[in-house]
Amino acid sequence: MADNGSDFTRSMGIATSGLRAQSGRMRVISENIANADSTAPTAGGDPYRRKVPTFSSALDRTLDAHVVALGQIMPDQSAFRVKYEPSNPAADASGNVKYPNVNPLIEMTDLRDAQRSYEANLNVITATRRMIQRTLDILKA
């Protein structure tokens, strides 16, 4: 028969790892959004490059369970947006200005997905805490 105490601990540990991973994902997305309209600090230089969070799975030996973690933050190698703005200080010799390869619509969609995943993990923790409390209430009676 399984030990319910360790099952509860394992559930909460796995959900907590999800909270941490999604929180990190939201931080990266926020950075992308904040830099969406920035330009290069020098004329003709490259602007901010969008970052893409990845996830990894690892065995947590204390929980004896696989947990998720924020993996490497990878640069998005897609092309920068280019606009002809010869009066802009960041313009190159041809008058073109490079803008980050950040699409705010994609970032907002990714942010909403991260929020939903975060909330789902939070719901697991809340439900597990309620089950633990109900179990203790039954054992007291």
Side-chain angles (χ1 to χ4, degrees):
M1 188 164 147
D3 178 7
N4 288 339
S6 65
D7 288 344
F8 288 141
T9 303
R10 190 174 299 124
S11 294
M12 290 181 74
I14 293 167
T16 300
S17 75
L19 288 176
R20 278 192 217 103
Q22 294 304 331
S23 178
R25 179 182 178 197
M26 287 188 275
R27 180 187 46 76
V28 172
I29 293 168
S30 297
E31 184 179 332
N32 289 341
I33 291 169
N35 287 286
D37 292 321
S38 63
T39 57
T42 57
D46 284 345
Y48 175 84
R49 184 169 291 280
R50 178 178 185 252
K51 296 177 182 174
V52 181
T54 64
F55 295 101
S56 63
S57 177
L59 177 64
D60 184 321
R61 295 194 190 282
T62 58
L63 294 174
D64 191 27
H66 285 276
V67 295
V68 67
L70 189 64
Q72 288 187 317
I73 309 300
M74 307 297 290
D76 180 345
Q77 296 300 326
S78 63
F80 293 117
R81 295 179 288 137
V82 179
K83 291 182 185 176
Y84 181 70
E85 297 176 346
S87 63
N88 190 314
D92 63 14
S94 304
N96 292 317
V97 177
K98 293 180 193 174
Y99 283 91
N101 56 348
V102 175
N103 180 333
L105 182 61
I106 290 172
E107 299 303 323
M108 292 306 293
T109 302
D110 287 351
L111 182 61
R112 185 67 189 136
D113 184 55
Q115 287 173 327
R116 285 184 179 148
S117 294
Y118 187 94
E119 289 169 4
N121 282 296
L122 196 56
N123 287 337
V124 168
I125 291 171
T126 302
T128 302
R129 288 180 65 196
R130 265 187 267 151
M131 286 190 285
I132 290 169
Q133 187 58 51
R134 286 183 190 152
T135 303
L136 291 173
D137 290 345
I138 290 169
L139 293 173
K140 283 188 216 174

